[in-house]
Amino acid sequence: MQVAELIEKDLILIGATAIEDKLQEGVPDCIETLSRAGIKIWVLTGDKMETAINIAYACNLLNNEMKQFIISSETDGIREVEERGDQVEIARFIKEEVKKQLKKCLDEAQQYFYSVSGPKLALIIDGKCLMYALDPSLRIMLLNLSLNCSSVVCCRVSPLQKAQVTSLVKKGARKITLSIGDGANDVSMIQAAHIGVGISGLEGMQAVMASDFAIAQFRFLKDLLLVHGRWSYIRLCKVVTYFFYKNLTFTLTQFWFTFYTGFSGQRFYDDWFQSLYNVIFTALPVIIVGLFDKDVGSSLSKRYPELYKEGIKNMFFKWRVVAIWAFFAVYQSLVFYYFVTVSSSTSQGSSGKMFGLWDVSTMAFTCVVVTVNLRLLMICNSITRWHYISVGGSIVAWFLFIFLYSGIMTPYDRQENIFWVIYVLMSTFYFYITLLLVPVAALLGDFLYLGVQRWFFPYDYQIVQEIHKDEADDSGRTDLLGIDNQLTPDEARSYALSQLPRELSKHTGFAFDSPGYESFFASQLGVYAPQKAWDVARRASMRSKPKPKPNKIN
Amino acid sequence: MCRRIFSTCGVAAVRIVSGKMVLSFYLFTQQSLPACKPVLTPGWVIAIFLFMGVIFIPVGLVTLRASHCVIIHSMVVEIVDRYDIDCVPEPSRMDKVSYIQDDSIPKNCSRFMKVHKYMKAPIYIYYQLDNYYQNHRRYVKSRSDKQLLDGQKYHDTSSCQPVESNNNRPIVPCGLIAWSLFNDTFEFIREGAELKVNRKNIAWKSDRGHKFGKNVYPFNFQNGTLIGGGKLNPEIPLSDQEDLIVWMRTSALPSFRKLYGRIEKDLDVDDVVVVNLMNNYNTYSFGGKKKLVLSTSSWLGGKNDFLGHACVFVGCSSLTLAIIFMLLHVKYRRPYGDMSFLPWNRKSFSG
């Protein structure tokens, strides 16, 4: 300090520079949407506490209504001890302080927890305290406290601490964690979480290279999670449960046959039918569903972020869901087996001739393939051209295969069990009536269940589908590529400005400047202060829902 | 219910210029294919059930007509007669197995079948076996289709074990299925005159024409110590041995019937048909039953009401469900497409 005082004398002020480091556009909106979706958001930053709190206010993570718990190492007590310089004593004292603070906050939080409509809680902790709070003895308290809070802001954290906090939540709370960052100091955090997302951009590509997913801007996280993540979950559940169902149906139909063969193990179906069932006759439709199924469109997914909670609660892959599929698989297999065998126990057609084992089994197999493919169409929420092609194509492929397979006699040593079977079958009226009746009887139960479920116990996404049933879907592309307007640019701008939310809070995300103050003083002096461009942009990226709180400043 | 949804975007115009393929590829990879979004409204549920009822009840009724026709002469009539117990004379009833295996005892038997409804020609004669597992795994594989076509030229008949060869000479046709050929015979007499039984064309044409060789003759057949069934005439080629062909089309269930022949005359009500049968076949060792069936046939087949009843049942239950849903729709109308039904909008929702 003294040397500085000696040197810095008689200097001439030339100018001042300022660096604008503003938030990316769309960040507050994105964060608010994600918290509506049931995702808890924590901020881990290397900035100092004031900046971090400002940013959190700008992002809608903190607001004045929340109860904030601040655990800081800038208190007087700690500073006193630090001045004394004894490292061991500093460490012990800070640890004691942190423990006391945590306990106090935790007790207060418990109180709020038991009251139904208390304010939301927020925790703000800085890096030095975090170092002691992550200690095994205090870790549990920290975890309990932070899980009760709806936002957590950690400032002055080092990259290692970022990773430690992420692991704490991942292993301690056993929740799924996602970390998103854009710099090299975020790499350890990205790798520690379940899902790491890197933002490619100004700070280079290190985060991107370490991450599982890379996006270009922070606001695309909304799309990634609410649209593609949600669709991916639904598609996975559908594909897996459908796969089990179709194989269960197919196998159980054979299973009932074993009771009638003296338990000798005679196969019901021909070998080739069994091998190709999963490869040709029922494979492609389920892949198409896994690629293209959407329960609601992308714009609706973002409009109703609460739909994401269905995934958090794992509503589509519970044991109950699997049990219902299994029940219908059993029901359908009974329909297939008994309808086909009982109706073929007497002669077929006016020629009086009787069917053999392979005729009956080919008939049953045809019914299985047709029914299982039609069942897939029943679980689709959106049916594209490819669905029709694949379902129709699979059924046609089965018929082509059986025409070919039963039409040729090969010189190889195989038992010609299936020779001419399908032509024999198709020469009887029995075949056509059975092919009409059996799939319908089998799907009757499923259709009834779907109707009742949708009517009386609808899922959230089904209600959203009903609300927006008659709208054309813009498929989300338009908001990425620009919407064209019918207004002139000036009209559009003034209309847009008038739609912006009014300035309500002191915190704007910038350390020293606030348009709230400026417009206050301007109105006092009777001077017109025009809107600042950066302020307009900032307000535009906030959610445009008017807050009920009265404006204290203006 | 379904709407064809197309996305509109200014950029699409640029893409179409550079080729429709690029646009289609773009739609495919960007998950924005035009799609139909079916939403199952209550109206659709009711409509579909009504539609199914309307389709299936008539189909079921038409199918039932096939066996229960009001027009007398088109009815399907079936007479069944179990004869395996009654055809064993009283003294041998204690030990039926040794009775049937004793070749010195004559096995003929007379049965009386009374016709209770008018039966229009052709009348099909079936023999029905119960508790006979023609679908047993080792039985089903015990045959050689190549040998049935090529005869003794074909040598790899290992699947026919243990009935592959006898005294080092191959058996044609080999295998347990052929070995256990059914050999009861039936003759029919009405009012003293014999009813001619047509035993041609009882097997499926594809079997006769393509699975059994025209130049293959039975050889060394049923010559072993253990006799399993009937003998074959070694001078008739296999493609003309229709009994064997019918028998070798193995059945699916343990209780089955197979076509024996046809009677080409009509049978009137109250006719008594005398059946002279030879009770050769041994079903007594395993508790099997033998029955003789006379049946007429319609366009759908024999006397089987199952399909008709099932169609009518499906149709009726669909109609019932449609009515139930209509009543429920009137009574418990859920506000359809109502925003306030969303769980996060409901007042009692607590996060």
Side-chain angles (χ1 to χ4, degrees):
Chain A
M1 277 296 286
Q2 287 166 328
V3 175
E5 297 229 338
L6 287 172
I7 297 179
E8 290 173 358
K9 282 188 351 183
D10 296 330
L11 298 170
I12 304 171
L13 178 66
I14 298 178
T17 61
I19 299 177
E20 195 179 30
D21 184 14
K22 58 180 187 196
L23 280 180
Q24 278 187 359
E25 64 176 282
V27 171
D29 178 47
C30 174
I31 291 189
E32 163 130 29
T33 314
L34 288 181
S35 53
R36 267 175 68 194
I39 300 175
K40 286 224 176 109
I41 306 197
W42 296 22
V43 175
L44 306 167
T45 172
D47 296 333
K48 65 183 198 315
M49 192 174 280
E50 289 84 13
T51 318
I53 293 181
N54 250 329
I55 302 276
Y57 268 98
C59 290
N60 283 325
L61 267 177
L62 293 179
N63 56 46
N64 293 327
E65 295 155 343
M66 288 174 137
K67 171 84 186 86
Q68 300 173 8
F69 298 122
I70 303 187
I71 302 180
S72 163
S73 63
E74 304 286 323
T75 59
D76 296 328
I78 295 180
R79 247 179 260 149
E80 245 186 64
V81 176
E82 272 177 356
E83 266 170 27
R84 277 187 243 145
D86 181 3
Q87 293 298 334
V88 174
E89 205 199 328
I90 293 175
R92 193 195 54 80
F93 184 79
I94 296 184
K95 185 159 179 197
E96 277 306 310
E97 246 331 282
V98 167
K99 186 166 178 185
K100 257 194 326 205
Q101 294 255 20
L102 272 179
K103 206 147 172 15
K104 187 171 75 120
C105 297
L106 194 58
D107 291 334
E108 244 186 285
Q110 302 281 39
Q111 272 182 346
Y112 285 117
F113 187 66
Y114 288 123
S115 68
V116 171
S117 62
K120 293 211 181 139
L121 307 171
L123 172 67
I124 301 155
I125 184 167
D126 86 346
K128 219 184 269 186
C129 298
L130 199 59
M131 188 163 64
Y132 296 99
L134 285 174
D135 201 58
S137 52
L138 297 178
R139 194 184 286 176
I140 313 283
M141 275 205 288
L142 174 68
L143 191 62
N144 279 335
L145 175 61
S146 48
L147 288 177
N148 280 331
C149 299
S150 41
S151 342
V152 174
V153 177
C154 304
C155 17
R156 283 274 186 240
V157 273
S158 66
L160 176 65
Q161 282 174 331
K162 287 185 186 177
Q164 283 176 330
V165 169
T166 314
S167 311
L168 176 69
V169 178
K170 184 172 161 184
K171 290 181 191 139
R174 285 201 222 115
K175 309 256 184 209
I176 307 290
T177 54
L178 178 151
S179 30
I180 177 165
D182 61 354
N185 57 349
D186 298 321
V187 167
S188 48
M189 170 177 79
I190 286 174
Q191 288 181 330
H194 284 108
I195 309 162
V197 178
I199 303 181
S200 66
L202 299 164
E203 295 206 20
M205 303 293 274
Q206 292 92 339
V208 165
M209 287 195 284
S211 62
D212 302 314
F213 294 94
I215 52 183
Q217 297 182 25
F218 186 90
R219 65 190 168 107
F220 296 154
L221 187 65
K222 190 163 67 158
D223 275 73
L224 183 68
L225 289 179
L226 298 183
V227 177
H228 296 289
R230 212 171 54 81
W231 284 348
S232 179
Y233 169 69
I234 289 170
R235 288 168 183 168
L236 253 177
C237 291
K238 277 199 182 141
V239 166
V240 171
T241 50
Y242 177 77
F243 227 92
F244 276 107
Y245 151 78
K246 76 172 158 93
N247 279 299
L248 199 58
T249 307
F250 168 73
T251 309
L252 279 177
T253 311
Q254 278 204 92
F255 175 70
W256 305 126
F257 182 62
T258 63
F259 292 97
Y260 294 88
T261 63
F263 301 100
S264 63
Q266 170 61 28
R267 286 182 309 277
F268 193 43
Y269 303 122
D270 186 68
D271 295 337
W272 278 100
F273 297 177
Q274 284 182 248
S275 314
L276 293 177
Y277 176 75
N278 273 319
V279 176
I280 297 185
F281 306 132
T282 55
L284 201 53
V286 67
I287 294 178
I288 300 288
V289 167
L291 289 177
F292 294 124
D293 194 58
K294 296 183 200 176
D295 56 348
V296 292
S298 52
S299 53
L300 287 176
S301 308
K302 288 186 277 197
R303 212 198 299 187
Y304 297 98
E306 292 85 354
L307 288 176
Y308 194 77
K309 291 190 183 161
E310 286 177 338
I312 297 180
K313 287 188 263 179
N314 197 14
M315 302 225 47
F316 302 128
F317 204 61
K318 290 182 152 22
W319 276 115
R320 192 177 64 95
V321 172
V322 173
I324 291 173
W325 277 101
F327 170 75
F328 282 113
V330 171
Y331 161 76
Q332 286 188 3
S333 67
L334 285 170
V335 165
F336 292 136
Y337 181 71
Y338 283 105
F339 275 39
V340 170
T341 48
V342 172
S343 58
S344 58
S345 57
T346 56
S347 71
Q348 309 302 326
S350 47
S351 63
K353 300 175 186 152
M354 298 292 301
F355 281 156
L357 168 63
W358 305 108
D359 309 291
V360 171
S361 87
T362 308
M363 180 81 239
F365 192 79
T366 309
C367 293
V368 170
V369 167
V370 169
T371 307
V372 153
N373 279 313
L374 289 179
R375 179 70 174 92
L376 185 82
L377 281 180
M378 280 166 70
I379 63 171
C380 290
N381 280 310
S382 73
I383 303 183
T384 66
R385 186 167 38 121
W386 295 100
H387 288 86
Y388 295 129
I389 294 176
S390 57
V391 167
S394 298
I395 297 179
V396 166
W398 154 247
F399 278 109
L400 283 178
F401 169 77
I402 189 64
F403 286 153
L404 228 80
Y405 181 62
S406 61
I408 53 174
M409 275 250 194
T410 65
Y412 301 104
D413 176 31
R414 66 164 196 169
Q415 297 287 48
E416 303 285 352
N417 297 319
I418 306 288
F419 181 72
W420 220 252
V421 155
I422 192 64
Y423 302 104
V424 161
L425 274 176
M426 287 180 104
S427 66
T428 60
F429 281 104
Y430 161 84
F431 175 78
Y432 302 99
I433 295 183
T434 311
L435 196 56
L436 175 66
L437 170 72
V438 171
V440 170
L443 292 177
L444 191 70
D446 291 83
F447 185 71
L448 180 63
Y449 171 73
L450 283 180
V452 167
Q453 182 265 313
R454 207 188 176 108
W455 200 320
F456 297 109
F457 314 103
Y459 286 121
D460 302 338
Y461 77 87
Q462 288 171 330
I463 302 180
V464 173
Q465 275 178 334
E466 287 163 14
I467 296 171
H468 295 277
K469 173 163 70 89
D470 295 319
E471 294 168 6
D473 181 39
D474 63 0
S475 80
R477 277 193 301 146
T478 48
D479 48 55
L480 282 179
L481 297 166
I483 310 169
D484 42 67
N485 263 328
Q486 269 82 11
L487 303 170
T488 68
D490 274 345
E491 281 175 314
R493 209 180 66 203
S494 46
Y495 173 70
L497 277 179
S498 63
Q499 298 296 309
L500 288 179
R502 298 186 44 113
E503 182 55 68
L504 288 172
S505 131
K506 273 197 292 225
H507 294 264
T508 60
F510 290 85
F512 305 109
D513 190 8
S514 171
Y517 288 124
E518 182 178 332
S519 56
F520 169 69
F521 290 118
S523 63
Q524 296 285 39
L525 295 173
V527 173
Y528 167 67
Q531 310 264 14
K532 294 202 210 289
W534 56 261
D535 184 46
V536 169
R538 187 188 58 79
R539 278 156 57 197
S541 70
M542 277 163 55
R543 229 171 61 84
S544 53
K545 180 175 161 192
K547 297 200 176 107
K549 221 169 122 292
N551 194 343
K552 285 194 192 126
I553 308 296
N554 290 343
Chain B
M1 166 161 102
C2 235
R3 274 167 178 271
R4 204 78 206 159
I5 294 161
F6 288 94
S7 13
T8 54
C9 176
V11 179
V14 175
R15 296 280 185 189
I16 286 171
V17 167
S18 61
K20 218 163 169 247
M21 288 294 276
V22 181
L23 177 63
S24 330
F25 184 70
Y26 181 78
L27 291 177
F28 189 91
T29 52
Q30 292 296 320
Q31 299 264 328
S32 24
L33 286 173
C36 176
K37 293 189 195 285
V39 174
L40 200 63
T41 64
W44 272 99
V45 172
I46 295 173
I48 289 180
F49 276 128
L50 276 175
F51 178 71
M52 289 209 302
V54 160
I55 295 268
F56 276 91
I57 294 186
V59 168
L61 289 175
V62 164
T63 315
L64 276 180
R65 249 176 70 106
S67 43
H68 284 295
C69 196
V70 181
I71 305 172
I72 303 271
H73 286 209
S74 313
M75 244 183 183
V76 174
V77 187
E78 193 181 77
I79 317 173
V80 181
D81 175 43
R82 184 181 174 189
Y83 63 86
D84 59 323
I85 302 284
D86 295 333
C87 273
V88 177
E90 271 292 343
S92 316
R93 291 254 173 105
M94 289 290 112
D95 191 3
K96 301 193 193 81
V97 179
S98 52
Y99 163 77
I100 200 80
Q101 285 175 339
D102 192 350
D103 282 332
S104 57
I105 312 175
K107 303 279 188 338
N108 39 356
C109 173
S110 274
R111 304 284 298 158
F112 297 95
M113 295 176 89
K114 189 144 188 278
V115 178
H116 51 94
K117 284 202 183 74
Y118 180 82
M119 291 172 85
K120 190 162 179 288
I123 301 172
Y124 296 95
I125 306 163
Y126 302 93
Y127 52 90
Q128 181 172 327
L129 291 165
D130 289 347
N131 202 32
Y132 194 112
Y133 285 84
Q134 260 205 336
N135 55 14
H136 195 284
R137 183 176 58 89
R138 293 184 67 187
Y139 186 90
V140 172
K141 76 173 185 147
S142 178
R143 63 192 284 158
S144 170
D145 289 305
K146 287 274 168 295
Q147 197 203 50
L148 293 173
L149 277 174
D150 295 334
Q152 286 181 58
K153 285 185 242 135
Y154 187 74
H155 296 295
D156 186 8
T157 53
S158 52
S159 54
C160 290
Q161 286 284 0
V163 192
E164 189 186 353
S165 59
N166 189 19
N167 295 333
N168 286 328
R169 290 188 302 161
I171 301 177
V172 176
C174 70
L176 282 172
I177 308 181
W179 175 82
S180 57
L181 177 65
F182 187 76
N183 59 354
D184 283 4
T185 55
F186 309 98
E187 278 171 5
F188 299 85
I189 298 172
R190 177 183 63 155
E191 289 163 4
E194 194 191 327
L195 288 168
K196 197 158 167 313
V197 174
N198 185 352
R199 307 208 59 211
K200 291 274 160 240
N201 200 16
I202 52 175
W204 292 99
K205 194 148 158 291
S206 54
D207 281 355
R208 260 185 301 141
H210 299 275
K211 275 179 101 161
F212 290 79
K214 294 189 179 55
N215 296 320
V216 180
Y217 294 87
F219 179 74
N220 198 15
F221 186 69
Q222 214 67 264
N223 271 344
T225 44
L226 207 52
I227 307 273
K231 289 189 159 41
L232 288 175
N233 186 342
E235 266 134 56
I236 303 177
L238 289 188
S239 59
D240 291 332
Q241 305 255 22
E242 302 221 19
D243 280 336
L244 179 71
I245 298 175
V246 167
W247 181 255
M248 286 197 77
R249 198 177 184 92
T250 50
S251 318
L253 294 174
S255 165
F256 60 89
R257 49 174 83 159
K258 287 194 185 290
L259 187 56
Y260 179 81
R262 273 193 301 278
I263 298 176
E264 305 280 7
K265 286 210 167 62
D266 298 347
L267 291 178
D268 291 314
V269 187
D270 291 336
D271 270 357
V272 174
V273 178
V274 178
V275 184
N276 290 333
L277 58 94
M278 296 294 283
N279 186 18
N280 296 322
Y281 199 65
N282 179 10
T283 53
Y284 305 101
S285 317
F286 51 85
K289 299 184 202 160
K290 290 192 284 189
K291 296 179 187 165
L292 178 64
V293 179
L294 289 174
S295 169
T296 55
S297 180
S298 68
W299 58 269
L300 189 58
K303 192 169 185 65
N304 195 333
D305 296 337
F306 183 78
L307 274 182
H309 283 314
C311 282
V312 170
F313 178 74
V314 167
C316 284
S317 41
S318 304
L319 278 182
T320 319
L321 285 169
I323 294 173
I324 292 178
F325 270 110
M326 252 192 284
L327 290 173
L328 281 175
H329 187 56
V330 166
K331 251 197 116 199
Y332 293 115
R333 204 188 190 114
R334 168 163 79 82
Y336 197 71
D338 190 359
M339 287 280 274
S340 63
F341 208 72
L342 288 167
W344 53 91
N345 284 339
R346 275 188 244 146
K347 294 180 199 71
S348 55
F349 185 69
S350 58

